[in-house]
Amino acid sequence: MVTIHKTNIEKAYDTAMEKAKKYQHPVLFSIVEKIDSVDPLSFYNEGISLFKGTRFLWKDRDHTITIAGLGSTKTISTEDDRDQFFAVEKEWKRFINEGVILSPENWIGTGPLLFGGFRFDPLNKRSLEWNDFENGTLQVPSFMLTKSKEADYLTLNMLCGPEHDEESLNEMIFLKDEIIRKAKFPSVPEEASVINIEDYKPQEWKNSVQNVVDELKDGEMEKVVLARKCKVSFEAPITSDFVLDNLWKQQPDSFIFSFEQNKSCFIGATPERLVKKTGEEVLSTCLAGSIARGSSLDEDEKFGEELLNDEKNRYEHHLVVENIHQALEPFCNELSMPAKPGLMKMKDIQHLYTPVVGRAAAQTSLLNMIEKLHPTPALGGVPRDRALHVIRQEEKMDRGLYAGPVGWMDAYGNGEFAVAIRSGLLHEDESYLYAGCGIVADSDPESEFLETQMKFRSMLRALGGNIHG
Ligand SMILES: C=C(O[C@@H]1C=C(C(=O)O)C=C[C@H]1O)C(=O)O
Ligand SMILES: [Mg+2]
């Protein structure tokens, strides 16, 4: 990778051309600049006519960064389940090493950046609704807005190669300026009305929970996370812009993500971080164990106390803490977490929460950690392989990207992936929502069912479904 800290576009472009000649194929040319503040939702919406099907948006739950991407300069996808994280890492490194980045500084989350997600279980049978996504689907956008606490940045990524000429560079720069200019006007996404909400075989799901409880009582497994889906139909095709706008307003303390591929969009607002890496700093989150929000402050606190002292939920949570600690330990020189969980309160639900902080050893990449972490017992179970086998048998559905890792990484090794829960798939005038819960030997099918209902609420509300509050 050649990083040129000068604003000499022509010179940098010539360097990229020389590299392309040397490699005999087009190489990445990336330009980063600081810009005046732009609203990320307007930027995303501005891309609807030219880039629908290739847009993404990410906002973290700590409000440190928002990234919106339009277009696709490069796609990295994995078909094969074996070593898929390694395969992505290898292709990504080669792509950035061969390219040229023109940037005044290596600002976090700017320049060439890979955004995308991985299927929860690449070994499970695929169903039609997930056809627009591969096992791993990641892309480098053509135009990207990065909004950090310090400033707003615009990245332009393009391929430059023997058969590309300077005219395409000028066209891209013109288009970039147009997008920024138009994104200054606030966006008003088009609404679509819900006409039907259908739960998939609720009784069968409760029976599956009972089957799993019976198996857990045998004592060979400790936890299995079972999920279910519901289908929401609209009177007209629904745009991700509308849902994103709602999530943005309704779930300020979640990771918000939207990931369009062709005619589908995977979208959600999840409270759960899988792993974040900034320089050497590593953050992860153990999140498992749930209870409703109270209707008054007193009731809410009472529920919180109940959750903190509930043995079944503490056990659900403990398994996640133990497993995440084990997974990260080999990668970190320091690793610490509080001895007891606290509470994380979302709009519709509260969870037991244990933050994890570490310092990564040299050469540790985000993808190395994701490979070991995913799926944590918050979404898979203990022991992992046995739980995955039970999930395939009992759920009888394809989770797709739900519960998988979704997020981004930049060319400097920074990035963040969340666990894609509280999420759904939009496809034309239909949408599929997914929610699950941790089943342990003490689980009761009826209360687990109610827990999934609470977990559907955030997405149902964002789709314009009839939710009170
Ligand atoms: C599986 C989901 O959530 C997970 C399960 C939880 C539980 O069972 O208590 C809590 C948080 C998440 O780890 C979901 O939201 O779909
Ligand atoms: Mg639970």
Coordinates of all heavy atoms in Angstrom, one line a residue, residues 61-62 253 255 270-274 276 282-291 304 307-309 313-314 316-318 320-321 324 336-346 349-357 378 416:
R61 N -23.0 2.2 18.8 CA -23.9 2.6 19.9 C -23.3 3.6 20.8 O -23.9 4.2 21.7 CB -24.4 1.4 20.6 CG -23.5 0.6 21.5 CD -24.2 -0.6 22.1 NE -25.3 -0.1 23.0 CZ -25.2 0.2 24.3 NH1 -24.0 0.1 24.9 NH2 -26.2 0.5 25.0
D62 N -21.9 3.8 20.7 CA -21.3 4.8 21.5 C -21.3 6.2 20.9 O -20.7 7.2 21.4 CB -19.8 4.4 21.8 CG -19.7 3.1 22.5 OD1 -20.7 2.7 23.1 OD2 -18.7 2.4 22.4
D253 N -29.5 4.2 21.1 CA -28.4 3.6 21.8 C -28.1 2.2 21.3 O -27.6 1.3 22.0 CB -28.8 3.5 23.3 CG -28.9 4.9 23.9 OD1 -28.2 5.8 23.5 OD2 -29.9 5.1 24.7
F255 N -26.4 -0.1 17.8 CA -25.7 -0.1 16.6 C -26.8 -0.1 15.5 O -27.7 -1.0 15.5 CB -24.9 -1.4 16.4 CG -23.7 -1.5 17.3 CD1 -23.9 -2.2 18.5 CD2 -22.5 -0.9 17.0 CE1 -22.8 -2.3 19.4 CE2 -21.5 -1.0 17.9 CZ -21.6 -1.7 19.1
T270 N -29.0 -3.2 16.7 CA -28.7 -4.2 17.7 C -27.9 -3.6 18.8 O -27.1 -2.7 18.7 CB -27.8 -5.3 17.0 OG1 -27.2 -6.2 18.1 CG2 -26.6 -4.8 16.2
P271 N -28.2 -4.1 20.1 CA -27.4 -3.6 21.2 C -26.1 -4.3 21.4 O -25.3 -3.9 22.2 CB -28.3 -3.9 22.4 CG -29.1 -5.1 21.9 CD -29.2 -5.0 20.4
E272 N -25.8 -5.4 20.6 CA -24.7 -6.3 20.9 C -23.5 -6.1 20.1 O -23.5 -6.4 18.9 CB -25.2 -7.7 20.8 CG -24.3 -8.8 21.4 CD -25.0 -10.1 21.6 OE1 -26.3 -10.2 21.7 OE2 -24.3 -11.1 21.7
R273 N -22.4 -5.7 20.7 CA -21.1 -5.6 20.0 C -20.5 -7.0 20.0 O -20.4 -7.7 21.0 CB -20.2 -4.6 20.8 CG -18.7 -4.7 20.3 CD -17.9 -3.7 21.1 NE -18.2 -2.3 20.8 CZ -18.4 -1.4 21.7 NH1 -18.4 -1.6 23.0 NH2 -18.7 -0.1 21.3
L274 N -19.9 -7.4 18.9 CA -19.1 -8.6 18.8 C -17.7 -8.2 19.2 O -17.2 -8.7 20.2 CB -19.2 -9.3 17.5 CG -18.5 -10.6 17.4 CD1 -19.1 -11.7 18.4 CD2 -18.5 -11.2 16.0
K276 N -14.7 -4.8 18.7 CA -14.2 -3.6 18.1 C -12.7 -3.5 18.3 O -12.2 -3.9 19.4 CB -14.9 -2.4 18.8 CG -14.4 -1.0 18.4 CD -15.1 0.1 19.2 CE -14.6 1.4 18.6 NZ -15.4 2.5 19.3
V282 N -9.1 -3.4 22.3 CA -10.1 -4.3 21.9 C -11.3 -4.2 22.9 O -11.1 -4.1 24.1 CB -9.6 -5.8 22.0 CG1 -10.7 -6.8 21.7 CG2 -8.5 -6.0 21.0
L283 N -12.5 -4.2 22.3 CA -13.7 -4.2 23.1 C -14.7 -5.3 22.7 O -14.8 -5.5 21.5 CB -14.5 -2.8 23.0 CG -13.8 -1.6 23.5 CD1 -14.8 -0.4 23.2 CD2 -13.5 -1.6 25.0
S284 N -15.3 -6.0 23.6 CA -16.3 -6.9 23.3 C -17.4 -6.8 24.3 O -17.3 -6.1 25.3 CB -15.7 -8.3 23.2 OG -16.7 -9.2 22.8
T285 N -18.5 -7.5 24.1 CA -19.7 -7.4 24.9 C -20.3 -8.8 25.2 O -20.5 -9.5 24.2 CB -20.8 -6.5 24.3 OG1 -20.2 -5.2 24.1 CG2 -22.0 -6.4 25.2
C286 N -20.6 -9.1 26.5 CA -21.3 -10.2 26.8 C -22.8 -9.7 27.1 O -22.9 -8.9 27.9 CB -20.8 -11.0 28.0 SG -19.0 -11.2 27.9
L287 N -23.7 -10.2 26.3 CA -25.1 -9.7 26.4 C -26.0 -11.0 26.4 O -26.1 -11.6 25.3 CB -25.4 -8.8 25.3 CG -26.6 -7.9 25.5 CD1 -26.3 -6.7 26.5 CD2 -27.1 -7.3 24.2
A288 N -26.6 -11.3 27.5 CA -27.6 -12.4 27.5 C -28.3 -12.4 28.8 O -27.7 -12.0 29.8 CB -26.8 -13.8 27.3
G289 N -29.5 -12.8 28.8 CA -30.4 -12.7 30.0 C -31.3 -11.4 29.8 O -30.8 -10.4 29.5
S290 N -32.6 -11.6 29.9 CA -33.5 -10.6 29.5 C -34.7 -10.5 30.4 O -35.2 -11.5 30.9 CB -34.0 -10.8 28.1 OG -33.0 -11.2 27.2
I291 N -35.2 -9.2 30.5 CA -36.5 -9.0 31.2 C -37.2 -7.8 30.6 O -36.5 -7.0 29.9 CB -36.3 -8.8 32.7 CG1 -37.5 -9.1 33.5 CG2 -35.7 -7.4 33.0 CD1 -37.3 -9.4 35.0
G304 N -35.2 -4.8 36.9 CA -33.8 -4.8 36.7 C -33.1 -5.6 37.9 O -32.3 -6.5 37.6
L307 N -33.8 -9.2 37.5 CA -33.0 -9.9 36.5 C -31.5 -10.1 37.0 O -31.0 -11.2 36.8 CB -32.9 -9.0 35.2 CG -32.1 -9.4 34.0 CD1 -32.6 -10.8 33.5 CD2 -32.0 -8.4 32.9
L308 N -31.0 -9.1 37.7 CA -29.6 -9.2 38.2 C -29.5 -10.4 39.2 O -28.4 -10.9 39.4 CB -29.2 -7.9 38.9 CG -28.9 -6.8 38.0 CD1 -28.8 -5.4 38.8 CD2 -27.6 -7.0 37.3
N309 N -30.6 -10.8 39.9 CA -30.6 -11.8 40.9 C -31.2 -13.1 40.4 O -31.4 -14.0 41.2 CB -31.3 -11.3 42.1 CG -30.5 -10.2 42.8 OD1 -29.4 -10.3 43.1 ND2 -31.2 -9.0 42.8
N313 N -31.3 -16.6 34.4 CA -30.7 -15.6 33.5 C -29.2 -15.4 33.8 O -28.4 -15.2 32.8 CB -31.4 -14.3 33.6 CG -32.7 -14.2 32.8 OD1 -32.7 -14.2 31.6 ND2 -33.8 -14.3 33.5
R314 N -28.8 -15.5 35.0 CA -27.4 -15.3 35.4 C -26.6 -16.5 34.7 O -25.5 -16.3 34.3 CB -27.2 -15.3 36.9 CG -27.5 -14.0 37.5 CD -26.6 -12.9 37.2 NE -25.3 -13.0 37.8 CZ -24.9 -12.5 39.0 NH1 -25.8 -11.7 39.6 NH2 -23.7 -12.7 39.5
E316 N -27.5 -18.2 31.9 CA -27.5 -17.9 30.5 C -26.3 -16.9 30.2 O -25.6 -17.1 29.2 CB -28.8 -17.1 30.1 CG -29.8 -17.9 29.4 CD -31.0 -16.9 29.0 OE1 -31.9 -16.8 29.9 OE2 -31.0 -16.3 28.0
H317 N -26.2 -15.9 31.0 CA -25.2 -14.9 30.9 C -23.8 -15.4 31.1 O -22.8 -15.2 30.4 CB -25.5 -13.7 31.8 CG -24.6 -12.5 31.6 ND1 -24.8 -11.7 30.5 CD2 -23.5 -12.1 32.2 CE1 -23.9 -10.7 30.5 NE2 -23.1 -11.0 31.5
H318 N -23.6 -16.1 32.2 CA -22.3 -16.6 32.6 C -21.6 -17.4 31.5 O -20.4 -17.3 31.3 CB -22.5 -17.5 33.9 CG -21.4 -18.4 34.2 ND1 -20.2 -17.9 34.7 CD2 -21.2 -19.7 34.0 CE1 -19.3 -18.9 34.8 NE2 -19.9 -20.0 34.4
V320 N -21.9 -17.1 28.4 CA -21.4 -16.2 27.4 C -20.0 -15.5 27.8 O -19.1 -15.5 27.1 CB -22.4 -15.1 27.0 CG1 -21.8 -14.1 26.0 CG2 -23.7 -15.7 26.5
V321 N -20.0 -15.1 29.1 CA -18.8 -14.4 29.7 C -17.6 -15.4 29.6 O -16.5 -15.0 29.1 CB -19.1 -14.0 31.1 CG1 -17.8 -13.5 31.8 CG2 -20.2 -13.0 31.2
I324 N -16.5 -15.9 25.9 CA -15.8 -14.8 25.2 C -14.5 -14.6 25.8 O -13.5 -14.3 25.1 CB -16.7 -13.5 25.3 CG1 -17.9 -13.7 24.4 CG2 -16.0 -12.2 25.0 CD1 -18.9 -12.5 24.2
S336 N -9.7 -7.7 30.5 CA -10.4 -7.5 31.8 C -11.9 -7.3 31.6 O -12.4 -6.8 30.6 CB -9.8 -6.4 32.6 OG -10.1 -5.2 31.9
M337 N -12.6 -7.8 32.7 CA -14.1 -7.6 32.7 C -14.5 -7.6 34.1 O -13.9 -8.1 35.0 CB -14.8 -8.8 31.9 CG -14.2 -10.2 32.3 SD -15.2 -11.5 31.5 CE -14.6 -11.4 29.9
P338 N -15.6 -6.8 34.4 CA -16.1 -6.8 35.8 C -16.6 -8.2 36.3 O -16.9 -9.0 35.5 CB -17.3 -5.8 35.7 CG -17.6 -5.7 34.3 CD -16.5 -6.0 33.5
A339 N -16.5 -8.4 37.6 CA -16.8 -9.7 38.1 C -18.3 -10.0 38.0 O -18.7 -11.2 37.9 CB -16.4 -9.8 39.6
K340 N -19.2 -9.0 38.0 CA -20.6 -9.2 38.0 C -21.2 -8.4 36.8 O -20.7 -7.3 36.5 CB -21.3 -8.7 39.2 CG -21.1 -9.6 40.4 CD -22.1 -9.1 41.5 CE -21.6 -9.5 42.9 NZ -22.0 -8.6 43.9
P341 N -22.3 -9.0 36.2 CA -22.9 -8.2 35.1 C -23.7 -7.0 35.6 O -24.1 -6.9 36.8 CB -23.9 -9.2 34.5 CG -24.2 -10.2 35.5 CD -23.0 -10.3 36.4
G342 N -23.8 -6.0 34.7 CA -24.7 -4.8 35.0 C -25.9 -5.0 34.1 O -26.2 -6.0 33.5
L343 N -26.7 -3.9 33.9 CA -27.9 -3.9 33.1 C -27.6 -3.0 31.9 O -27.0 -2.0 31.9 CB -29.1 -3.4 33.9 CG -29.6 -4.2 35.0 CD1 -30.6 -3.4 35.8 CD2 -30.2 -5.5 34.6
M344 N -28.2 -3.5 30.7 CA -28.2 -2.7 29.5 C -29.7 -2.5 29.2 O -30.4 -3.5 29.0 CB -27.5 -3.3 28.4 CG -27.4 -2.3 27.2 SD -26.8 -3.1 25.7 CE -25.0 -3.0 26.0
K345 N -30.2 -1.2 29.2 CA -31.6 -1.0 29.0 C -31.9 -0.5 27.6 O -31.3 0.6 27.3 CB -32.1 0.0 30.1 CG -32.1 -0.6 31.5 CD -32.6 0.4 32.5 CE -32.5 -0.1 33.9 NZ -33.7 -0.8 34.4
M346 N -32.7 -1.2 26.9 CA -33.1 -0.7 25.6 C -34.5 -0.3 25.7 O -35.2 -0.5 26.7 CB -32.9 -1.9 24.5 CG -31.6 -2.6 24.5 SD -30.2 -1.6 24.5 CE -30.4 -0.8 22.9
I349 N -36.7 -3.6 26.2 CA -36.2 -4.8 26.9 C -34.9 -4.4 27.7 O -34.2 -3.5 27.3 CB -35.9 -5.9 25.9 CG1 -35.7 -7.3 26.5 CG2 -34.7 -5.6 25.0 CD1 -35.8 -8.5 25.5
Q350 N -34.6 -5.2 28.8 CA -33.3 -4.9 29.5 C -32.6 -6.3 29.5 O -33.2 -7.3 29.6 CB -33.5 -4.3 30.8 CG -34.7 -4.6 31.6 CD -34.8 -3.7 32.9 OE1 -33.8 -3.3 33.4 NE2 -36.0 -3.5 33.3
H351 N -31.2 -6.1 29.5 CA -30.4 -7.3 29.4 C -29.3 -7.3 30.5 O -28.9 -6.2 30.9 CB -29.6 -7.4 28.1 CG -30.5 -7.6 26.9 ND1 -31.3 -8.6 26.7 CD2 -30.7 -6.8 25.8 CE1 -32.0 -8.5 25.6 NE2 -31.6 -7.4 25.0
L352 N -28.8 -8.5 30.8 CA -27.6 -8.5 31.6 C -26.4 -8.2 30.7 O -26.4 -8.7 29.5 CB -27.4 -9.9 32.2 CG -28.4 -10.3 33.3 CD1 -28.2 -11.7 33.8 CD2 -28.3 -9.3 34.5
Y353 N -25.4 -7.5 31.2 CA -24.4 -6.9 30.3 C -23.0 -7.0 31.0 O -22.9 -6.5 32.1 CB -24.8 -5.5 30.0 CG -23.8 -4.6 29.4 CD1 -23.1 -4.9 28.2 CD2 -23.4 -3.4 30.1 CE1 -22.2 -4.0 27.7 CE2 -22.5 -2.5 29.6 CZ -21.9 -2.8 28.4 OH -20.9 -2.0 27.9
T354 N -22.1 -7.5 30.4 CA -20.7 -7.5 30.9 C -19.8 -7.0 29.7 O -19.6 -7.7 28.7 CB -20.2 -8.9 31.3 OG1 -21.1 -9.4 32.3 CG2 -18.8 -8.8 31.9
P355 N -19.2 -5.8 29.9 CA -18.3 -5.3 28.9 C -16.9 -6.0 29.1 O -16.5 -6.3 30.2 CB -18.2 -3.8 29.2 CG -18.5 -3.7 30.6 CD -19.4 -4.8 31.0
V356 N -16.2 -6.1 27.9 CA -14.9 -6.8 28.0 C -13.9 -5.8 27.3 O -14.2 -5.3 26.2 CB -14.9 -8.1 27.1 CG1 -13.5 -8.8 27.2 CG2 -16.0 -9.0 27.6
V357 N -12.7 -5.6 28.0 CA -11.7 -4.7 27.4 C -10.4 -5.4 27.3 O -10.0 -6.1 28.3 CB -11.5 -3.4 28.4 CG1 -10.5 -2.5 27.7 CG2 -12.8 -2.8 28.7
A378 N -24.3 -16.5 23.1 CA -25.4 -15.6 23.1 C -26.3 -15.9 22.0 O -27.5 -15.6 22.0 CB -25.0 -14.1 23.1
E416 N -15.1 -2.5 13.5 CA -16.0 -3.0 14.5 C -17.1 -3.9 13.9 O -17.6 -3.6 12.8 CB -16.7 -1.8 15.2 CG -17.7 -2.2 16.3 CD -18.0 -1.0 17.2 OE1 -18.1 0.1 16.7 OE2 -18.2 -1.2 18.4

